[in-house]
């Protein structure tokens, strides 16, 4: 790693013993502080070294450099690592926005992100407008002189709705606004919004980037100017990530492409299977010809369906809770989980989780019904997954 020498040098090893300073696996630095023996050392540490865990940490810095390389190849960008995905969202927005600012937010977003705008920032005089960003004309109509940020997910949760990133970025910049994208569902393996014109990209690293359902983190990648605006506020909000999950994530990223490319493929194959099965009345995945925004999907992913997202959603042919329970109980490989992106395929029921706070009428307007399941594909054998759903669907016929 590029930072090995600077991080691992101590007064004891500055002379010789260099072979001890090149570990095969990056070390875990759990210490809450780094010590110094003189005012000169203290000044040097504050200028470019390590002092206190909330201020800086080697594991956090190395992970940030890896995320920057993933999200912004060839661009002059930097990354901050946060304690969770929601921490990355709320801290970034809270650092950039001020009272009187206006945000345009995609109507189809994660429920808790929706609450950040509707319940948190509205209390501080920050206005937000929710629009269907599938049609760029809706965004144009919502723009105000005080619009500071346009916010969207690459693939909306759970409907998979897309936005035309290059066109929305152009529109934002014409009006002096920033385009902020959530890349959680897709990851930089699939798409790199910063290379398409976005100004800020965030991810819940807890999901696909971690992949093992055992560490919670968030990240934000942007220009140096925005990074240095957010960095001091991250300290004040108390949202920097701890060393342990950073260390685990550094390890997890070593298999990122192996895992995610398999998950993208499995989702592509499952979408085809679901669309042909009579127990499913609707499938949301951008690889399908039936996907309403197929033209945008082709623009964002010219390489095709196997490269899009490991997430999809389906609507079963029944809303009978008893039948749905039997279907879920019959599944053997697939199980229910309140998160996503792990190496095992999971289901989630938006009506009883992420969108449970919304009235049924409003959910249905978004295409979310009691028969909908969000599917996060893992790395299992695709035939095993298809056969598991086949044998469980039988319960819906009883």
């Amino acid at each position: 790693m590029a930072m090995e020498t600077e991080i691992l040098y101590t007064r004891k090893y500055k002379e010789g013993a260099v072979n001890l300073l090149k570990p095969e696996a990056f070390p875990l630095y759990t210490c809450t502080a780094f010590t110094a023996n003189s005012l000169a050392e203290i000044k040097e540490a504050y200028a470019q070294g390590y002092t206190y865990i909330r201020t800086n940490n080697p594991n956090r810095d190395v992970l940030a450099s890896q995320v920057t390389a993933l999200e912004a190849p060839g661009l002059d960008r930097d990354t901050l690592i946060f304690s969770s995905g929601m921490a990355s969202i709320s801290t970034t927005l809270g650092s950039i926005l001020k009272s009187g600012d206006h945000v345009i937010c995609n109507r189809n977003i994660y429920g808790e992100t929706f609450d950040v705008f509707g319940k948190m920032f509205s209390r501080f005089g920050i206005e937000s407008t929710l629009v269907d960003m599938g049609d760029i004309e809706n965004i144009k109509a919502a723009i105000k002189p005080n619009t500071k940020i346009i916010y969207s997910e690459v693939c909306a949760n759970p409907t998979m709705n897309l936005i035309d990133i290059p066109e929305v970025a152009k529109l934002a910049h014409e009006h002096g606004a920033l385009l902020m994208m959530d890349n959680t569902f897709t990851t930089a393996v699939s798409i790199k919004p910063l290379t398409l014109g976005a100004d800020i990209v965030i991810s819940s690293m807890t999901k696909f980037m971690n992949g093992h359902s055992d560490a919670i983190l968030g990240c934000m990648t942007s220009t140096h100017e925005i990074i240095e605006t957010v960095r001091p506020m991250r300290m004040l909000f108390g949202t920097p990530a701890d060393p342990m999950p950073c260390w685990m994530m550094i390890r997890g990223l070593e298999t990122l492409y192996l895992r995610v490319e398999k998950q993208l493929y499995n989702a592509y194959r499952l979408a085809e299977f679901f669309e042909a099965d009579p127990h499913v009345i609707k499938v949301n995945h951008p690889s399908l010809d039936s996907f309403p925004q197929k033209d945008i999907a082709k623009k964002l992913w010219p390489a095709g369906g196997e490269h899009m997202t490991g997430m999809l959603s389906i609507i079963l042919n029944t809303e009978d809770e008893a039948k749905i329970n039997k279907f879920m109980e019959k599944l053997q490989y697939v199980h229910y989980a309140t998160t996503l992106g792990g190496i095992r395929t999971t289901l989630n029921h938006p009506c009883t989780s992420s969108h449970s706070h919304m009235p049924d009428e409003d959910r249905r307007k978004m295409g979310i019904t009691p028969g909908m399941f969000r599917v996060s594909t893992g790395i299992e054998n695709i035939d095993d997954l298809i056969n598991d759903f086949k044998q469980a669907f039988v319960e819906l016929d009883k």
Side-chain angles (χ1 to χ4, degrees), residues 291-356:
F291 189 70
Q293 299 174 297
K294 187 63 179 178
D295 56 335
I296 297 178
K298 288 181 177 179
K299 182 176 182 179
L300 298 180
W301 291 282
E306 295 181 34
H307 306 275
M308 293 179 170
T309 174
M311 300 298 299
L312 64 151
S313 58
I314 60 174
I315 298 179
L316 301 179
N317 64 352
T318 181
E319 295 182 7
D320 187 319
E321 189 168 312
K323 288 186 176 182
I324 292 174
N325 280 334
K326 291 292 185 182
F327 154 71
M328 293 175 64
E329 291 169 355
K330 193 69 180 296
L331 290 166
Q332 297 176 5
Y333 291 103
V334 182
H335 60 283
Y336 188 91
T338 54
T339 187
L340 59 100
I343 59 175
R344 297 173 62 193
T345 299
T346 61
L347 297 176
N348 183 269
H349 192 247
C351 283
T352 56
S353 57
S354 59
H355 293 72
S356 60

Side-chain angles (χ1 to χ4, degrees), residues 161-294:
N161 290 66
L162 307 174
I163 72 166
D164 189 332
I165 298 175
E167 287 301 311
V168 177
K170 180 181 177 182
L171 177 65
H173 299 157
E174 287 173 350
H175 292 83
L178 301 170
L179 176 59
M180 183 171 173
M181 299 295 304
D182 182 336
N183 202 20
T184 299
F185 270 27
T186 32
T187 79
V189 175
S190 170
I191 193 169
K192 304 180 194 301
L194 294 177
T195 67
L196 299 176
D199 302 285
I200 303 168
V201 62
I202 68 98
S203 288
S204 172
M205 302 183 76
T206 313
K207 314 304 193 298
F208 284 100
M209 294 182 81
N210 172 28
H212 295 85
S213 307
D214 57 6
I216 180 170
L217 287 178
C219 60
M220 184 273 285
T221 306
S222 189
T223 62
H224 295 292
E225 180 182 0
I226 291 174
I227 289 292
E228 294 311 317
T229 297
V230 178
R231 189 191 304 276
M233 299 302 291
R234 182 185 64 168
M235 291 172 55
L236 298 178
F237 278 113
T239 55
D242 286 337
M244 183 66 179
C246 292
W247 177 80
M248 296 174 71
M249 196 71 65
I250 290 169
R251 181 186 61 180
L253 288 185
E254 293 178 355
T255 61
L256 177 68
Y257 275 82
L258 290 173
R259 291 185 285 102
V260 173
E261 286 179 348
K262 174 65 171 172
Q263 290 167 302
L264 300 178
Y265 171 75
N266 279 354
Y268 165 70
R269 289 286 307 279
L270 276 178
E272 289 184 327
F273 159 70
F274 286 136
E275 189 166 58
D277 193 286
H279 300 96
V280 178
I281 60 175
K282 184 174 177 59
V283 185
N284 296 309
H285 192 269
S287 66
L288 299 174
D289 289 337
S290 59
F291 189 70
Q293 299 174 297
K294 187 63 179 178

